[in-house]
Amino acid sequence: MEDIAIICAGGFGREVKMLIDQINSVEQKYNLLGYYDDVIPASTLVNGYPVLGEIEALNNVSTKLNTVVAIALPVLKREVLDRISNPLIVYPILIHPNVQIGQDQVSLGEGCVLCAGNMITVNIKIGKHVIFNLGCTVGHNTTIGDYCSFMPSVNISGEVNIRDGVYVGTGAKIINHLEIGEGTVIGAGAVVYKSLPANCTAVGVPARPVKFHDPI
Ligand SMILES: CC(C)(COP(=O)(O)OP(=O)(O)OC[C@H]1O[C@@H](n2cnc3c(N)ncnc32)[C@H](O)[C@@H]1OP(=O)(O)O)[C@@H](O)C(=O)NCCC(=O)NCCS
């Protein structure tokens, strides 16, 4: 078994612990050491596993350590990753055993997290540190950039180009042949039927930008 630690012990961190338990229930793969978290004090037990230290402490680790970033917001995920400069920290791809991924030309970057119930079809390129929470679908010929996060039950149709750092709220649907600009946030339940610009928050049915923010 390989050692692994979870970065952040919040709600999603505890769900990632569940994901690791589920992976291990099929094949004993990971030995969970605990969490690294900037808020919860070291030694606190979180669902039975200790907080090992602040995130900065990962820069002092002296042997290879698998880690998984359990942070949904792309901007925070990126900030945390930028703070870790230790080449011994590596980011495996975690995939729940019931996830269905097509055999044809699907690629996933380092650090991707795929929780239970996701279906990724064919000819799909997914960047690094992308989170798919429970039960999402991704259709053919879609490209997804780095640091994106998809909350539960998001459906992405075919031939969608999603740039880096996009966050998609639970239950949102993105129809085919669209582009979603870098850093954009899509609200829960939105139906996106037109391309969206970068760095906006878009909500509703149909989804329309309601505000713009600084680039990430
Ligand atoms: C879109 C979202 C990120 C906006 O958050 P925010 O930046 O704090 O924006 P606000 O709450 O100020 O909302 C801005 C406007 O959009 C509206 N709005 C927010 N979310 C909306 C949604 N999902 N659908 C429709 N309208 C929404 C607000 O009512 C507000 O309208 P108003 O200015 O007329 O009052 C958030 O509401 C959301 O949907 N998050 C997804 C959460 C999620 O999926 N969590 C999963 C956890 S596992």
Side-chain angles (χ1 to χ4, degrees):
M1 287 171 87
E2 298 178 39
D3 288 345
I4 193 166
I6 299 169
I7 297 177
C8 285
F12 189 56
R14 285 175 276 124
E15 289 178 342
V16 167
K17 186 245 174 213
M18 175 184 168
L19 172 61
I20 292 168
D21 291 342
Q22 290 165 327
I23 292 169
N24 283 342
S25 72
V26 173
E27 181 199 349
Q28 286 286 307
K29 194 158 185 197
Y30 293 115
N31 173 41
L32 179 61
L33 301 180
Y35 308 85
Y36 286 85
D37 192 288
D38 283 349
V39 179
I40 303 174
S43 304
T44 306
L45 287 183
V46 177
N47 286 2
Y49 285 80
V51 173
L52 301 163
E54 294 190 357
I55 294 165
E56 215 62 45
L58 284 163
N59 286 322
N60 303 324
V61 165
S62 55
T63 53
K64 180 193 151 193
L65 179 61
N66 293 298
T67 56
V68 49
V69 184
I71 300 173
L73 282 183
V75 66
L76 294 182
K77 198 179 342 185
R78 200 169 182 165
E79 263 173 35
V80 160
L81 282 159
D82 284 349
R83 284 164 53 200
I84 302 167
S85 54
N86 185 347
L88 294 170
I89 302 303
V90 295
Y91 305 100
I93 298 169
L94 295 191
I95 303 180
H96 187 281
N98 76 4
V99 169
Q100 295 186 40
I101 301 183
Q103 300 289 310
D104 300 305
Q105 297 184 44
V106 177
S107 64
L108 290 159
E110 66 174 15
C112 284
V113 177
L114 281 70
C115 300
N118 284 286
M119 297 181 79
I120 315 282
T121 68
V122 294
N123 305 93
I124 291 166
K125 186 167 186 258
I126 296 171
K128 57 186 182 179
H129 299 289
V130 174
I131 292 170
F132 290 94
N133 209 310
L134 303 163
C136 301
T137 62
V138 184
H140 63 90
N141 301 93
T142 286
T143 303
I144 295 175
D146 299 338
Y147 311 109
C148 292
S149 289
F150 302 91
M151 296 302 101
S153 304
V154 167
N155 300 123
I156 302 164
S157 302
E159 301 185 30
V160 176
N161 186 7
I162 299 177
R163 303 282 183 178
D164 292 351
V166 169
Y167 173 95
V168 184
T170 186
K173 296 180 189 314
I174 303 174
I175 71 158
N176 44 339
H177 305 292
L178 298 185
E179 171 141 342
I180 311 296
E182 182 167 350
T184 275
V185 174
I186 296 172
V191 175
V192 184
Y193 88 113
K194 272 188 186 166
S195 292
L196 293 172
N199 302 307
C200 72
T201 295
V203 300
V205 181
R208 297 189 201 286
V210 287
K211 54 185 172 183
F212 284 83
H213 43 87
D214 291 337
I216 57 171

